[in-house]
Amino acid sequence: MEIHIGHLIKEVFDRQGRRATWLASQLNCNRSNVYSIFKRENIDVETLIKLSRILQHNFFQDIANQMDEKFCLKSLDNMSENLLQDVEKLDTEKVG
């Protein structure tokens, strides 16, 4: 799934009922820059950290939640468990 970070930021921004002038003042930029952020498909980490703090929302968690399951820690735990079972099985076969 492709993540459009600008849309995600705009969604959170709209839910909070904020105005572009407010966010512009928080970011020390003008309103047109705020609207430009909403159109971005990607954004640098430093700016996303600023926006997360200003809007008090963890955009990084949103991104993590939308990533493929193979990148999730739960999935990695399952892989580790399966590998351990495979090793035990190989050890049993080797001994027997």
Side-chain angles (χ1 to χ4, degrees):
M1 169 183 259
E2 290 295 318
I3 300 167
H4 191 294
I5 193 63
H7 291 170
L8 191 57
I9 294 165
K10 174 101 167 72
E11 183 181 313
V12 170
F13 174 80
D14 287 343
R15 267 189 305 205
Q16 293 183 4
R18 306 284 189 179
R19 295 193 170 259
T21 52
W22 174 83
L23 187 54
S25 70
Q26 298 297 307
L27 291 170
N28 296 317
C29 67
N30 58 44
R31 276 186 332 154
S32 63
N33 289 33
V34 170
Y35 293 118
S36 171
I37 289 170
F38 297 154
K39 294 177 183 175
R40 294 183 192 173
E41 291 183 30
N42 51 55
I43 195 166
D44 66 274
V45 172
E46 186 176 316
T47 302
L48 193 57
I49 290 170
K50 284 181 191 176
L51 288 164
S52 292
R53 288 182 177 147
I54 291 167
L55 296 173
Q56 297 180 347
H57 183 87
N58 187 347
F59 292 104
F60 295 94
Q61 185 64 52
D62 293 338
I63 294 166
N65 289 342
Q66 291 184 32
M67 292 183 73
D68 292 336
E69 185 178 305
K70 66 182 176 184
F71 298 113
C72 296
L73 291 177
K74 184 178 178 183
S75 180
L76 292 175
D77 287 344
N78 289 340
M79 287 174 53
S80 296
E81 187 176 317
N82 290 341
L83 286 172
L84 285 173
Q85 289 173 357
D86 289 346
V87 168
E88 288 174 5
K89 184 178 175 183
L90 287 171
D91 284 343
T92 303
E93 290 173 0
K94 187 177 178 182
V95 172

